[in-house]
């Protein structure tokens, strides 16, 4: 099965800073998603992005399927952006990376 | 549709007891997935169904674990003879199959947190 690697594992930012989270996958995927896990453990959908670029407010994502990676951009970060971000790649079922723990300081 | 629903949200059980969790997917979704997540780790795939057929099971899924989706709607995950190592968050997700023109975006429920004492 595919392997998914996320970087960095931890990220500490000052409020207002921008950040880039990366997701590499070992094989081609037909689905790529980014999630934010809330403090209660639920995975909140951010982007469904098998390829291309999407934007939603201060967040945007780009997947380059031919090079097997995806990037999540967070601009003008806020303390409420803190938490763990996961990407998942799928050839049938989603396989997740270990996540990036983001801490945004006021 | 209110999204993917899991029940119970929390379960505390004694070692050796059996537990059963339920997942109700988004109504139009024909795929249903079970994951397990422990502290500091990403969700680990356990098994998934397309309609009532169980298409794939992870090697993580020991003989004590069984999942069903009898009518292709809700699913249950049963753990027999629970062990302390089974303590984790159990997550359920649903999606359309890959052939759908609507895409295969998966949506997760709130999870069931199991504590084995």
């Amino acid at each position: 099965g595919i392997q998914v690697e996320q970087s960095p594992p931890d990220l500490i930012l000052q409020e207002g800073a921008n950040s880039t989270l990366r997701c590499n996958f070992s094989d081609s995927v037909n689905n790529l998603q980014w999630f934010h896990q809330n403090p209660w453990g639920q995975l909140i959908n951010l982007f469904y992005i098998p390829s291309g670029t999407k934007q939603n407010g201060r967040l945007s994502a780009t997947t380059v399927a031919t090079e097997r990676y995806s990037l999540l951009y967070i601009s003008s970060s806020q303390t409420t952006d803190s938490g763990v971000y996961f990407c998942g790649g799928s050839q049938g079922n989603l396989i997740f990376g270990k996540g990036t723990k983001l801490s945004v300081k006021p | 549709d209110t999204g993917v629903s899991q029940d119970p949200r929390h379960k505390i059980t004694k070692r050796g007891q059996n537990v059963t969790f339920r997942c109700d997917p988004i109504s139009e979704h024909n795929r249903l997935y079970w994951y397990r997540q422990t502290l500091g780790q990403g969700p680990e795939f356990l098994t998934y169904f397309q309609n009532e057929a169980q298409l794939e099971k992870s090697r993580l899924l020991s003989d004590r674990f069984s999942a069903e989706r009898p009518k292709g709607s809700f699913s249950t995950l049963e753990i027999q003879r629970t062990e302390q190592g089974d303590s984790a968050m159990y997550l359920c997700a649903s999606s359309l199959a890959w052939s759908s023109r609507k895409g295969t975006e998966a949506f997760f429920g709130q999870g069931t947190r199991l504590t084995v004492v």
Side-chain angles (χ1 to χ4, degrees):
Chain A
I2 64 168
Q3 307 293 319
V4 178
E5 194 174 300
Q6 289 188 247
S7 61
D10 296 279
L11 187 57
I12 300 174
L13 298 175
Q14 206 65 33
E15 198 168 27
N18 302 330
S19 62
T20 301
L21 282 58
R22 186 176 178 107
C23 176
N24 291 332
F25 34 99
S26 61
D27 201 349
S28 60
V29 295
N30 53 38
N31 176 9
L32 193 289
Q33 292 184 241
W34 284 96
F35 298 88
H36 181 208
Q37 191 160 40
N38 69 19
W40 298 273
Q42 186 169 9
L43 289 166
I44 306 300
N45 289 40
L46 296 178
F47 293 101
Y48 169 65
I49 187 164
S51 62
T53 296
K54 290 185 178 179
Q55 179 155 8
N56 184 4
R58 295 182 296 104
L59 272 59
S60 63
T62 295
T63 296
V64 183
T66 52
E67 297 188 23
R68 301 178 186 168
Y69 73 87
S70 183
L71 302 173
L72 177 68
Y73 306 97
I74 304 174
S75 64
S76 305
S77 57
Q78 301 175 358
T79 56
T80 52
D81 294 331
S82 296
V84 184
Y85 290 79
F86 289 102
C87 71
S90 169
Q91 296 175 329
N93 52 282
L94 275 174
I95 302 299
F96 287 86
K98 293 188 176 182
T100 292
K101 184 176 180 181
L102 175 64
S103 301
V104 181
K105 306 296 185 185
Chain B
D1 199 327
T2 55
V4 180
S5 177
Q6 292 188 245
D7 183 71
R9 297 288 306 280
H10 303 273
K11 178 72 177 178
I12 300 174
T13 192
K14 291 183 178 179
R15 191 174 51 186
Q17 298 293 304
N18 300 343
V19 293
T20 300
F21 309 140
R22 177 180 171 122
C23 173
D24 287 88
I26 293 171
S27 57
E28 63 174 341
H29 284 179
N30 48 11
R31 282 200 171 178
L32 187 149
Y33 311 82
W34 285 100
Y35 289 82
R36 179 173 66 190
Q37 186 178 23
T38 53
L39 200 62
Q41 300 296 315
E44 296 174 306
F45 168 74
L46 294 178
T47 188
Y48 86 93
F49 294 83
Q50 182 158 316
N51 300 315
E52 64 275 8
Q54 190 170 19
L55 293 190
E56 189 174 342
K57 289 168 60 173
S58 165
R59 282 170 288 180
L60 292 174
L61 210 64
S62 78
D63 291 344
R64 296 184 298 106
F65 287 69
S66 62
E68 293 183 340
R69 195 183 183 198
K71 296 182 181 179
S73 57
F74 74 91
S75 175
T76 57
L77 178 68
E78 181 183 18
I79 310 174
Q80 296 182 326
R81 305 181 302 281
T82 51
E83 302 172 355
Q84 287 190 320
D86 297 331
S87 295
M89 175 77 94
Y90 290 84
L91 296 164
C92 176
S94 71
S95 75
L96 292 168
W98 67 271
S99 57
S100 167
R101 282 180 292 177
K102 291 184 180 179
T104 60
E105 185 174 7
F107 295 86
F108 281 78
Q110 296 147 309
T112 294
R113 189 172 297 279
L114 173 67
T115 303
V116 181
V117 297

